[in-house]
Amino acid sequence: MQGHDDDVDPGPGLGEPGTQTRARERRGPRRRSDGAVAAAALVVAMTTTLVATAPTGAVATEPPAGHPATEAHAYATIPLYLDGVTTLPGGRREPLAAGTDITFLAGTHVVDPAATTLARAVGGRVGTGRGATAPAAATMAGRQRAWLASGTVPGAGGPYEDMARAALLDLHALVLPDGAAVAAWSDKWRYVWPRDASFVAVALARTGHVDDALEILGFLDRVQSPDGSFQARYLPDGSGPPDDRGVQTDGTGWVLWAAGLVVDEITDPDERAEAVARLHPLVARSARHAIALVGRDGLPPASPDYWEVHEDALTLGTVAPLVAGLQQASRVLGLADDDALAAAAFDASIRSKVAVIRTFGPTGYARYAVGGHADAASAFLLPPFVTTAVPGVEAAWRASAVAMVRPANGLAPGAGWRDDGVSWTPQTSLYAWVAAENGDAGLADGWLTFLDSHRTASGSLPEKVLADGSPAAVAPLGWSAACVLLALDALDRGTVRAG
């Protein structure tokens, strides 16, 4: 989900600015942190020679007129729409208005009613407890702590443990009881994007919450079209799409990819067999659709991808998820004893991967098959998305970070994205995860430091970071929270392997 088309004030959230005790230390407008500078310096140091030797086709062709890449902008000034989200007694989610000073009960994202009452009495501000009693809040807090304890907190004991706990609690709030994983809690983001939801499912599975991950995939199973396609986004009640954005092809690939990685986290043979049987209808429909999309030449038709704009030319962000998804589909279908479809999915994955190398390789794995700027989608051709890295992609991926870095030292979605100075946390956290998965702990740490340094006052990851370091747009954003957790999990797993 790329939210630039919806960047409007969604309206007031819960609470008002006040002088209460902070949920985490308020750092004020966030400038370039030492960690952020280190991340950018590390990227530059590691990729300078790669840029010099990158294929010239990578920047040879401009994208079509009307794309964000063709728009000239001064540095953007975007408000922070929400500071975060809390769960009230009874399970009701409520947004926290930007500037709200909140005290949570320890280890949770449940507002402390006692602190709220005190702040209201002393400061005369409207509180955020909504009349919650201390016993009711304590009960809700106990449930959140129990949920955290049922899984793992990646990075526990390290510098990012607080960020990981906050990310987990934010995902817990953004996933509704029926498996609808909304992208964020602001009105115009309170929808389920199959793309974002797939990342959230994988993050929850890898942190020990497999049942929640399966619920997310179950929701996607219920809303999927009979032909195996997915709309861009869905209403959280599962009744259909909220608008006419239409089908986005990468959704099919992402759901297949997520199904495979979720199954990988189930170690008990009986439980794995049960999960595979449960997922089989979703995976079979999606696989048939993906096979049809890539056809005989291995390349699907043009479609909008995570940039969320109309496309007349095929993008790497459309085809790469299909390669990843077909690889995982062949495995899951094999576990389901659907051998013929598993073989067809495997053949299609090879056909599509070869076509990507043939078509995008000469461009340096740029955004478009006809060329263009470097794009964050180059990450999708590396583990953990594909089983083995596509030849030449790692160099292109490393070079892309230099072209995509923004003033606060986070990343834009691509080198051709509008020059407005905005860093996007989905792409920055994505690069942290890919770095961690591919053994570059130093680079992953740099991006994680940037993300940790630019959270909101309540601890949530915002969608954007402005040129001056201020968090902006929606918070929390599920996609970013998921990638941060996955990056920390990958670093933990790498430590275990090394040990």
Side-chain angles (χ1 to χ4, degrees):
M1 182 272 297
Q2 207 68 41
H4 64 278
D5 289 334
D6 289 327
D7 283 347
V8 296
D9 188 350
L14 176 72
E16 296 181 0
T19 57
Q20 301 158 233
T21 305
R22 277 75 165 164
R24 64 192 294 266
E25 181 182 358
R26 185 182 296 280
R27 296 172 178 153
R30 288 156 174 81
R31 304 290 173 176
R32 300 186 182 195
S33 68
D34 292 341
V37 173
L42 188 58
V43 171
V44 172
M46 298 183 68
T47 58
T48 299
T49 57
L50 297 171
V51 173
T53 58
T56 56
V59 293
T61 306
E62 296 295 324
H67 274 65
T70 65
E71 302 172 15
H73 291 267
Y75 285 168
T77 55
I78 301 167
L80 179 64
Y81 304 149
L82 295 178
D83 201 274
V85 63
T86 187
T87 304
L88 299 180
R92 187 172 77 252
R93 278 75 165 169
E94 289 287 349
L96 301 171
T100 302
D101 295 325
I102 288 295
T103 297
F104 293 133
L105 291 173
T108 77
H109 276 183
V110 177
V111 174
D112 183 350
T116 298
T117 300
L118 177 62
R120 184 169 56 244
V122 173
R125 298 286 184 175
V126 176
T128 58
R130 292 286 177 94
T133 65
T139 298
M140 178 56 60
R143 291 174 182 169
Q144 288 192 2
R145 294 188 193 105
W147 181 80
L148 284 173
S150 69
T152 61
V153 178
Y160 306 117
E161 179 176 352
D162 182 70
M163 177 167 61
R165 287 183 182 278
L168 278 166
L169 289 169
D170 281 335
L171 291 188
H172 188 49
L174 294 176
V175 179
L176 303 182
D178 64 349
V182 296
W185 203 252
S186 296
D187 290 346
K188 293 183 180 295
W189 283 259
R190 204 178 302 168
Y191 304 116
V192 179
W193 273 262
R195 182 185 310 115
D196 299 48
S198 295
F199 278 77
V200 171
V202 175
L204 290 176
R206 287 199 169 180
T207 54
H209 303 286
V210 172
D211 288 344
D212 297 280
L214 290 172
E215 285 294 319
I216 293 171
L217 294 174
F219 177 90
L220 296 172
D221 182 18
R222 294 192 296 276
V223 299
Q224 186 181 37
S225 299
D227 68 356
S229 64
F230 283 102
Q231 295 289 312
R233 55 187 185 172
Y234 294 90
L235 293 163
D237 64 4
S239 60
D243 50 37
D244 60 354
R245 289 195 181 192
V247 170
Q248 292 186 0
T249 295
D250 65 331
T252 296
W254 285 129
V255 171
L256 286 170
W257 165 78
L261 268 63
V262 168
V263 166
D264 282 346
E265 296 306 308
I266 307 173
T267 56
D268 181 88
D270 292 337
E271 292 179 3
R272 175 178 282 200
E274 181 180 348
V276 167
R278 178 177 173 181
L279 293 172
H280 181 252
L282 171 67
V283 173
R285 281 194 305 271
S286 301
R288 292 189 187 97
H289 185 58
I291 292 166
L293 283 169
V294 302
R296 294 178 62 86
D297 69 356
L299 297 177
S303 168
D305 62 9
Y306 75 102
W307 278 36
E308 297 278 345
V309 296
H310 175 75
E311 295 289 0
D312 293 317
L314 177 63
T315 66
L316 191 60
T318 291
V319 65
L322 290 172
V323 175
L326 285 165
Q327 286 183 345
Q328 294 300 325
S330 66
R331 296 177 54 254
V332 176
L333 291 167
L335 292 171
D337 296 325
D338 193 344
D339 295 336
L341 188 54
F346 178 79
D347 290 346
S349 73
I350 297 297
R351 198 161 59 244
S352 190
K353 184 176 179 179
V354 169
V356 167
I357 295 170
R358 182 183 65 246
T359 306
F360 286 87
T363 74
Y365 296 98
R367 176 166 178 77
Y368 296 99
V370 294
H373 293 84
D375 189 85
S378 59
F380 303 152
L381 294 175
L382 290 167
F385 301 104
V386 293
T387 52
T388 57
V390 171
V393 165
E394 184 173 355
W397 170 72
R398 290 179 178 274
S400 71
V402 175
M404 290 159 48
V405 74
R406 290 299 187 252
N409 289 324
L411 300 176
W417 190 261
R418 62 170 64 97
D419 187 17
D420 58 2
V422 175
S423 300
W424 289 73
T425 65
Q427 283 67 52
T428 307
S429 57
L430 168 70
Y431 272 46
W433 184 24
V434 171
E437 288 278 357
N438 289 275
D440 197 332
L443 187 57
D445 182 74
W447 297 129
L448 288 167
T449 299
F450 167 84
L451 293 159
D452 189 37
S453 301
H454 295 85
R455 291 189 284 152
T456 69
S458 63
S460 293
L461 289 156
E463 180 186 44
K464 302 175 185 178
V465 177
L466 302 184
D468 69 353
S470 301
V474 297
L477 191 73
W479 191 0
S480 301
C483 285
V484 161
L485 291 167
L486 288 162
L488 290 170
D489 172 74
L491 290 175
D492 286 349
R493 296 184 188 217
T495 300
V496 171
R497 287 194 298 268

